[in-house]
Amino acid sequence: MNLLVTGGAGFIGANFVYSQRQQHPQDRIVILDALTYAGNLSTLDALSTDPAVRFVRGDICDAALVAALLRDEHIDAIVHFAAESHVDRSILGPMDFVRTNVVGTATLLEAARAAKIARFLHVSTDEVYGSLEPNDPAFSETHPIQPRSPYSASKAASDHLVLSYFHTYGFPVLLTRCSNNYGPYQFPEKLIPLMVLNAFANQPLPVYGDGMNVRDWIHVSDHCAGLDAVLRRGRIGEVYNLGGMAERPNLDIVRAILALTGRDESLIRYVTDRPGHDRRYAIDCSKAMNELGWTPRVSLEQGLRDTVRWYRENEAWWQRIRSGEYRTWFERNYAARLDTGSGSPAATAKHSGASCA
Ligand code: NAD
Ligand code: TYD
């Protein structure tokens, strides 16, 4: 199979590419990523000499580039991660979210339909279901779509578009909605890596509101295993929830990180709450478990231990982010290799990427 992975230089996309190379070494992978602030090519460094992986810098909103890639690379299936993914940024500037998450997904769908792609897996989030009260049952796949942040609204719009392509055109889509991920290579703006790095540096840990907002946490390796199961065995046109079966208030996560890093609670700072902050997410993933034989395997306790250790052992990776140096990694290590011929998708990508970042 020839796979196109969009957003493969981001957190979950890169973990997915690594896991696919392990589990399906016969497949070829083309990564399409615009390298926004969240894209980090040094994350993929271990694959830079792998002949079965090709990296193309480009924007999913670039219809000509996407069409050329699907044709020239003989793509069979698409796994679509590329998105603006951080709620706080969506509150500060919603338009980037509309552009990439809605227009970008629509652009990709149109190109994929024209190219008669065999499977289109759209990677979405439990946040499209809205917010739960403490005693509400967990989200099932039939829960109403009630997004409440610009991020989740833009993802909900993309979910609707994806499903409309199945109902209207019979286009072979699959859709997953997953809970909060954590693990290696997560950009340190999200709760867990931010708290880990601040604790390492003895800096304050900013807890929004009363710290009692609840999330379900899944290790990224379990998410990637679920995506693999849906991609290869899922029923076309279906939605599959994926989760870690580990609901915790934020304060429990922060305290666990303080314990794992040997810091005390004096580092906790209660700060002004996020506007419209969703109170609780909880996900019922029994459909994926029963139909696909998938199950999350990493306990939150083990996963947090491993994650803290990963950030401790990979300081060079996150120091490049904190210093901003990772933004020039592409130019220093890859751009010269891509700039090989006019009109090739890679060359096109180099130009279109510039307008997206
Ligand atoms: P991320 O922000 O770490 O990575 C996003 C990647 O997409 C980056 O590499 C970025 O450069 C790329 N990108 C952004 N705009 C692009 C564009 N216009 N064209 C091409 N590439 C572009 O995100 P993540 O946490 O890895 O999330 C990946 C996907 O999974 C997203 O669709 C997100 O909604 C979904 N998801 C995330 C979580 C989570 O907890 N992080 C949970 C459920 C679902
Ligand atoms: P986040 O990692 O941004 O994921 P999401 O908002 O998509 O669930 O945040 C997880 C939870 O942690 C959420 O309830 C907001 C909270 N949070 C803080 O309390 N402090 C922070 O600095 C951040 C980034 C998040």
Side-chain angles (χ1 to χ4, degrees):
M1 187 152 72
N2 291 331
L3 271 184
L4 178 72
V5 175
T6 71
F11 162 50
I12 307 172
N15 276 281
F16 180 76
V17 172
Y18 279 114
S19 64
Q20 288 291 296
R21 291 302 295 135
Q22 292 282 323
Q23 286 156 33
H24 306 283
Q26 71 286 2
D27 290 351
R28 274 189 69 246
I29 298 179
V30 178
I31 298 168
L32 174 62
D33 197 297
L35 297 181
T36 67
Y37 81 94
N40 186 342
L41 211 45
S42 70
T43 299
L44 295 170
D45 215 32
L47 296 170
S48 62
T49 55
D50 184 338
V53 178
R54 178 176 177 214
F55 178 82
V56 176
R57 185 182 192 178
D59 188 338
I60 57 166
C61 299
D62 184 339
L65 165 65
V66 174
L69 273 182
L70 297 181
R71 183 190 62 231
D72 297 346
E73 300 286 346
H74 307 287
I75 298 297
D76 303 300
I78 298 176
V79 186
H80 177 34
F81 294 93
E84 291 292 337
S85 68
H86 190 40
V87 173
D88 292 326
R89 285 180 190 259
S90 82
I91 294 166
L92 292 170
M95 292 314 288
D96 285 346
F97 288 72
V98 174
R99 179 182 179 278
T100 286
N101 300 1
V102 185
V103 179
T105 301
T107 306
L108 205 56
L109 281 167
E110 269 303 88
R113 184 167 74 92
K116 299 191 168 44
I117 295 300
R119 284 172 100 76
F120 184 106
L121 170 51
H122 179 61
V123 181
S124 192
T125 166
D126 61 355
E127 302 190 27
V128 300
Y129 295 124
S131 182
L132 294 170
E133 296 299 325
N135 296 318
D136 286 345
F139 300 128
S140 73
E141 288 83 355
T142 55
H143 191 279
I145 303 300
Q146 294 170 326
R148 292 157 34 107
S149 74
Y151 164 64
S152 55
S154 66
K155 290 296 288 187
S158 67
D159 287 15
H160 286 315
L161 277 168
V162 166
L163 292 174
S164 81
Y165 271 58
F166 171 69
H167 293 293
T168 306
Y169 305 116
F171 181 65
V173 305
L174 298 142
L175 201 158
T176 55
R177 296 191 179 122
C178 190
S179 58
N180 285 59
N181 284 225
Y182 68 98
Y185 301 116
Q186 188 166 29
F187 195 86
E189 63 184 352
K190 306 279 167 60
L191 180 73
I192 288 179
L194 179 75
M195 298 295 161
V196 170
L197 297 194
N198 281 14
F200 284 171
N202 279 308
Q203 286 170 358
L205 309 192
V207 171
Y208 298 164
D210 62 2
M212 295 310 288
N213 298 65
V214 172
R215 298 291 182 264
D216 172 69
W217 294 97
I218 182 172
H219 192 269
V220 66
S221 61
D222 281 329
H223 187 190
C224 291
L227 292 171
D228 183 62
V230 173
L231 175 65
R232 288 160 203 274
R233 303 194 297 282
R235 283 181 296 134
I236 294 298
E238 291 291 318
V239 178
Y240 295 91
N241 284 349
L242 301 171
M245 297 194 290
E247 269 188 70
R248 299 285 190 285
N250 294 336
L251 215 42
D252 282 17
I253 301 288
V254 171
R255 289 191 171 125
I257 291 169
L258 287 171
L260 287 166
T261 53
R263 305 293 191 263
D264 66 48
E265 298 203 4
S266 63
L267 284 181
I268 294 177
R269 293 285 184 287
Y270 291 94
V271 299
T272 309
D273 208 356
R274 170 188 283 171
H277 195 174
D278 287 342
R279 193 63 177 167
R280 173 176 168 241
Y281 305 139
I283 193 132
D284 173 354
C285 49
S286 52
K287 178 176 171 181
M289 292 171 75
N290 295 335
E291 262 190 41
L292 307 172
W294 166 85
T295 189
R297 296 189 183 284
V298 183
S299 71
L300 181 59
E301 289 66 30
Q302 183 62 46
L304 275 181
R305 256 197 307 278
D306 292 350
T307 301
V308 170
R309 186 178 338 109
W310 187 88
Y311 280 91
R312 191 174 282 127
E313 291 173 355
N314 289 274
E315 185 169 344
W317 181 85
W318 54 262
Q319 286 291 10
R320 276 196 293 271
I321 293 176
R322 289 219 150 175
S323 71
E325 194 204 327
Y326 79 109
R327 301 287 281 135
T328 57
W329 186 266
F330 176 81
E331 280 69 21
R332 283 186 288 113
N333 292 280
Y334 287 82
R337 285 195 358 221
L338 289 182
D339 200 10
T340 50
S342 60
S344 74
T348 320
K350 191 170 171 246
H351 297 302
S352 47
S355 64
C356 179

